[in-house]
Amino acid sequence: MIEKGKIQPGNTVLIQGTGGVSLFSIQFAIMAGAEVILLSGSDEKLHLAKQMGVNHLINYKRLPNWEDEVLNITSGNGVNHVVEVVGSDHINKSIDTVALDGTISIIGLINGLKGDINTVKIMTKQIRLQGINVGSKEMFNRMNNALEIHNIHPIIDKTYAFEDAKEALTLLERSSHFGKLCISL
């Protein structure tokens, strides 16, 4: 979001979910001065995210057409940046919510590796669609500097002993965690 997405103060960012990547995205977006809209299927997790400073919370299970609410929040303009963790055809909902000349960063493929994507809207809205993987060593150093300066720490749901890794993986599969699950070696 920072290096490639060029998020600026006053931008609006849509973040999907409350896993470790999504929560780190929230922290970076807030650090950059952006207004954050968060999607989650859990009111409890949305409540926890509100305590982190998230501006707008949407429960996608109660609002299956959540993209309409995102457009409502942004007065029809859409968001400047989307952190897309679902992938597949779901990207079309992100395309619907992103503003003209906005960016969608694909960093997860929970729904699958392929999808039927509306390329016409990508062209007409001049959307940048970028895949995110791992950055350079220089980017890593700049990120760590920012984390230190802004006193940002990853949100850790729970740390498990190595012997309890199966329990951690079961929790991960159920998506009932808020943040990272760690396994101690």
Side-chain angles (χ1 to χ4, degrees):
M1 289 188 319
I2 305 297
E3 296 272 345
K4 301 259 185 187
K6 309 287 187 216
I7 292 178
Q8 302 292 317
N11 282 171
T12 306
V13 180
L14 172 65
I15 298 173
Q16 303 166 355
T18 54
V21 169
S22 297
L23 293 181
F24 234 169
S25 297
I26 289 169
Q27 291 172 302
F28 283 120
I30 290 171
M31 177 190 76
E35 184 175 347
V36 177
I37 302 170
L38 177 67
L39 299 177
S40 175
S42 164
D43 286 333
E44 180 183 340
K45 292 178 183 181
L46 288 169
H47 175 73
L48 292 170
K50 185 169 186 67
Q51 294 173 5
M52 292 175 63
V54 174
N55 306 94
H56 304 281
L57 309 164
I58 301 172
N59 185 321
Y60 64 79
K61 288 183 179 175
R62 280 193 279 117
L63 287 173
N65 296 327
W66 53 263
E67 61 276 23
D68 295 335
E69 183 60 20
V70 171
L71 291 172
N72 183 47
I73 291 168
T74 61
S75 301
N77 295 319
V79 296
N80 303 100
H81 200 106
V82 178
V83 177
E84 171 66 56
V85 299
V86 180
S88 185
D89 294 347
H90 187 270
I91 292 172
N92 289 311
K93 287 184 171 250
S94 293
I95 290 169
D96 287 343
T97 64
V98 75
L100 180 68
D101 201 32
T103 300
I104 300 173
S105 293
I106 303 169
I107 192 163
L109 301 167
I110 295 168
N111 250 15
L113 303 177
K114 296 180 181 178
D116 184 19
I117 299 172
N118 188 335
T119 54
V120 171
K121 283 187 183 178
I122 293 171
M123 290 174 52
T124 58
K125 292 174 90 175
Q126 302 171 38
I127 297 169
R128 279 176 305 286
L129 205 57
Q130 64 183 15
I132 301 295
N133 201 347
V134 176
S136 68
K137 181 179 178 183
E138 292 79 17
M139 291 167 76
F140 183 68
N141 288 335
R142 286 191 295 272
M143 178 191 74
N144 286 331
N145 250 352
L147 294 173
E148 189 175 325
I149 289 168
H150 295 278
N151 197 27
I152 295 174
H153 303 278
I155 307 295
I156 297 174
D157 185 88
K158 190 171 180 185
T159 301
Y160 291 86
F162 183 75
E163 309 74 67
D164 300 325
K166 186 175 179 181
E167 181 184 342
L169 293 171
T170 300
L171 191 64
L172 182 66
E173 186 175 55
R174 280 191 265 136
S175 296
S176 56
H177 60 292
F178 184 83
K180 289 284 187 191
L181 296 173
C182 298
I183 298 174
S184 178
L185 300 175

